[in-house]
Amino acid sequence: MCAEHAGRADRGPSVVTRRALRTTLSACASFFVCLYALDRPVAATYALFAAVSMAALSHIPGTGRQRAAVMAKATPAAWLLLTIGTYLAIRTWSAVVGMLLIGFFLAFVAAAGPRAAGAAPGLQLLYILPCFPPYAPDTLLERLAGATFGLLLLILAETFLLPEKPGPTYRRTAADTAARCVAELGVAPYTLSAASAETAKEAGGSLRPFRVDEADRPAGPGLRDRALSHAGLAARTLLARLVNLPPAPPPPGPVPMEQEAEVLTAVGRAVTETADLLDGKADTTEAADALRRVREQAAASAAREAPTTAPRGRRRAAVLEVTDAAVALATAAELAVRGRHARVPEDVDSGRFWYAGKRAPRLWWHRLAGHAGPRSVYFQNAVRISLALAAARTVAGVDSLPHGFWAMLAVLSLTRTTAAQTRATVRVAITGTMLGALVTGLLLALIAGHTTVYAIALPFVMLTAFRVGPVRGVGWAQGLFTLTVAFVFAQLAPVTWQLAEVRILDVIIGSLIGVVFGVLAWPRGAQRELHRAVALLLTTEAETVERATAAVVEGGPGHVPDDRPLQHALTMAESAFAQHQSEPRTTTEDPTTDWQAAMMSGHHVLWGSRRLFVRGGPAVGPANGVRLDHRAAGVATRMRKAAEWAGAGAGEAADPRSGPPVPGGPATDGPPGVSSPRFFAALAWLNSLDVDVDRMTGADHLFGPPRPNGSSGPSGPSGPAGSAGQAGPS
């Protein structure tokens, strides 16, 4: 299910009705208790808006219990924001500076994943509310008490009122997917049948982040989320390895097949154990430890053997890749389940699992620091929204705009990541606000000062607003919210029909500010950045391919490579792709462009190159060295050609390092004879990368130039499959 489909499912009628009931009950109950039972209008205001901000303005994914957990964790942050906003309201300039800094930070924490991104708008509103005059620090305790009461009732309502049944979690999906890997491992011919291969492809595709509910998507910066994301990526890699496993060479082979059968049996046992560990059915890692020992024995045995034939070498290299993927899955699963208490073996790849044992503050800092630059879409969004909010606060303070926080609320709720989307949203929102204001003005004139009528009508009006708005769109939402806030303020102080006029003015001012900054600050949203990020990713991949192949050809001891540039490029591309999924497509972009193919190739290059670097080994010999150089040059050139196309989509010139034409000829294109295991491991890696490039440059995907004549490579599904928001070690 794509992002758009996931979003619609999350806003289905039954789900929206439950949320509207919870929001209405908690907001109205806290408001009425504070206003009529306790005679505390300030507390009543903050109680109602605290509930509305975290329930209606925020879009925290998941079931009611999952949202309640996020709200409970966000409550201390709400107290801090209310306190800061109260004291900075003394002057317009201090409120503007606070809005600029706090607005940026709250928007920037969206880089920490869907839960943080979902809670950020509600927290923004909780800072906006007290940062307007009157400057009343003596009411701070009442403000805090009201907000806490409203949040408490909301948390209780989310937890106990009309609870939803949780769907299949990512943890269970990863476990089920991993369990599929053992079906045919121990049975000759030790490869998947056509039906099983198709099932494996579908199972791997089900782990794409945008086919997983946001609430269960492991996209956070914490250790367990990183490890669970890593486990999903390893499961997809393992499935792809099984699909592409070459058939065993016919007997008599140069090396007995018993050891290979032992390896595959150990893989099956370890995967079954890992599935049970992820699903909470087991707590042991004995099979995973046994698999590590078998893998080392197989690798050592292969290194001692004399050079072997191509069919046997390819098969053995593929089996070792299956083993590596299964070991990575087992290690990531243990980290996901046990966190910092997991036992990480000494021989584990410290680069791939760099986050093991790290504390949460360091991991958060690593995530935020990685996005602290103008090439990150999270940074761009934070700059855009903070500047717009600061401008709205300046206008509200300088012009003494009545109910100025409505203008800032319009900025917060209507500004989108692209200028075109913001303009379209603003047109509909202003139309809805004007119609809502017209109805509001008529009702205020008819009801006049009869407060009881407003109190009786408020729950019904609020329920309608929060039930209809999310389903019918932003115009209905703005119109009905106009009526809702009018009925709220009519109970706090005497109002006239002119309140509707003020509401229109505030929304228009806030909308225009949002449009201006949408045009000035990265108006194309993630579209341009996605082209640029993918171009950089593909160029970095090409460089890594050439560097890793050269290391194999030259031989030498193993070492851990410095692949931080590739990791960073992959992270930037994935975050841009994640935002791009939620933006409307432009007429200049073909809808069949397979951006995810580039992300998949990035993970494949990252993992494969690291594996080749770390193992080391002797030189492969002149003839086979030429063959590897030829294959690497072909793959790297095609990656750079695709990068040129992606860069052109961002308005940039083609990369001057596009490389020479792909060499050819029978001397280098002929089948290899006998060679070392490391040669066949590198060749298998390059062949699978060629498949990745086929996906990007295929005519049905329209990603870059067509495949050049004369290049060779197998066809079929790719190896590892990464995806947006799921960069295991990033």
Side-chain angles (χ1 to χ4, degrees), residues 84-279:
I84 295 175
T86 296
Y87 283 101
L88 290 183
I90 185 174
R91 296 284 188 274
T92 296
W93 71 265
S94 61
V96 170
V97 171
M99 183 58 61
L100 188 66
L101 298 178
I102 293 175
F104 175 87
F105 176 77
L106 290 177
F108 188 55
V109 296
R115 294 182 181 88
L123 294 175
Q124 292 269 26
L125 181 59
L126 287 177
Y127 172 74
I128 291 172
L129 191 61
C131 81
F132 284 89
Y135 174 62
D138 54 305
T139 65
L140 176 60
L141 291 180
E142 189 174 345
R143 293 177 176 183
L144 292 174
T148 303
F149 185 44
L151 288 174
L152 177 61
L153 291 187
L154 177 61
I155 291 171
L156 292 175
E158 292 281 5
T159 304
F160 299 108
L161 182 62
L162 300 175
E164 300 127 332
K165 294 181 179 179
T169 65
Y170 186 90
R171 181 183 297 264
R172 291 197 189 102
T173 304
D176 294 341
T177 304
R180 296 174 185 267
C181 299
V182 303
E184 299 179 34
L185 288 178
V187 180
Y190 308 107
T191 56
L192 297 179
S193 64
S196 296
E198 187 62 31
T199 301
K201 294 176 191 176
E202 294 175 359
S206 70
L207 285 172
R208 288 192 175 204
F210 288 106
R211 297 181 68 177
V212 179
D213 187 79
E214 272 192 311
D216 295 309
R217 193 180 303 159
L223 190 154
R224 293 177 187 269
D225 268 0
R226 289 177 185 271
L228 194 57
S229 172
H230 208 154
L233 181 58
R236 295 184 65 186
T237 303
L238 180 57
L239 287 166
R241 291 287 184 263
L242 293 172
V243 171
N244 290 328
L245 190 66
V255 178
M257 297 294 296
E258 287 78 6
Q259 186 183 61
E260 183 177 296
E262 180 185 357
V263 171
L264 292 173
T265 300
V267 168
R269 291 171 179 168
V271 168
T272 301
E273 178 188 77
T274 300
D276 291 339
L277 180 67
L278 284 168
D279 214 20

